[in-house]
Amino acid sequence: MHIRVIGAPIDLGADRRGVDIGPSAIRYAGLHDHLRALGHTVSDFGNIHVPQPESRPIGSPKLKYLDPIVEVSEELANVVTDALQSDQFPLILGGDHSMALGSISGVANVHKNLGIIWVDAHGDFNIEETSPSGNIHGMILAALVGQGNSRLTHIGGWAPKLNPENIVIVGARDLDPGEQDLLRKHRVHVYTMSDVDRYGMSNIMSQAIEIAGRQDQPIHLSLDMDSLDPREAPGVGTPVRGGLSYREAHLAMEMVSDSKHMVSMDVVEVNSILDRENATARLAVELILSALGKKIL
């Protein structure tokens, strides 16, 4: 497989600073060499340009940094679309989860009936009216299904990008009240950590892949490192106790790989300022490798 690595060091969608270093930290953890050792061809696009928060006005407190996030999303969507049209696998490194607005829009330009597996402690299904913070990283999935501010929903000039019934959230454990109502209303499939505990990761992922990949449709995998327990991944933007274990996360990635449905992947929320000896970035590399074919035997 020819993998195009794309850095999206966006630090505009959340309040806590530091995730803009994430793409560099993941590269520094040996990503390219490990991917080549698996037999992949790797080319690196470098990082798209992202303005620093200090250089741009925050805008509305209900939609913080809307203008630069839209600009970055448009550029990232074009880069991802170009990778797919060049028969390359886009691997996008974040940055906060607002970058998925651009990455998934770019994939949806090519794959019109796209399934999503969203591995995250959070649902990211708020809209302007339900968000308690105004942080756009918590509105991305809603925007992709056409809900919320039109400037977010219409990246690339069209909406919606996704059918909500093709979205599966895995590992949720921190959902806002208004967000819960929206997730139910739009019939998004949500597997909480309670579900993982009750039914096991193998069963959860089997169902997730069946839903997102129904009728052989392609899957985009979005991995937020805060889906893991903070003991495993200390360097994340929004840590929440009680997350996925090391083994559960690897199993999830391996099962997506085995499905042969994945056409693109993004990895977000590595915060090197909060990390210890680049441990979270190194774990991100391990999980990327599992998603892209690495096996124990």
Side-chain angles (χ1 to χ4, degrees), residues 89-92 220-221 223 253 262 264-267 287-288 291:
F89 179 97
L91 173 60
I92 311 99
H220 173 86
L221 173 63
L223 172 62
M253 299 300 103
M262 185 172 65
S264 51
M265 178 179 184
D266 53 47
V267 183
L287 294 173
I288 290 168

Side-chain angles (χ1 to χ4, degrees), residues 209-229:
I209 292 164
E210 183 176 349
I211 293 164
R214 62 168 65 106
Q215 297 179 339
D216 291 325
Q217 65 194 24
I219 291 174
H220 173 86
L221 173 63
S222 190
L223 172 62
D224 190 318
M225 291 301 292
D226 73 21
S227 62
L228 283 99
D229 193 273

Side-chain angles (χ1 to χ4, degrees), residues 117-120 169-171 193 196 200-206 208-209 219 221-223 227-228 244-260 262 265 286-295:
I117 296 181
W118 189 271
V119 184
D120 197 337
I169 299 171
V170 176
M193 282 307 302
V196 174
M201 181 55 86
S202 179
N203 288 328
I204 295 296
M205 287 305 299
S206 291
I209 292 164
I219 291 174
L221 173 63
S222 190
L223 172 62
S227 62
L228 283 99
L244 299 176
S245 71
Y246 179 89
R247 289 166 61 182
E248 287 170 335
H250 271 289
L251 176 60
M253 299 300 103
E254 290 170 3
M255 291 182 70
V256 174
S257 175
D258 289 343
S259 77
K260 308 299 184 186
M262 185 172 65
M265 178 179 184
E286 289 186 39
L287 294 173
I288 290 168
L289 296 175
S290 287
L292 291 172
K294 185 175 181 179
K295 302 291 184 187

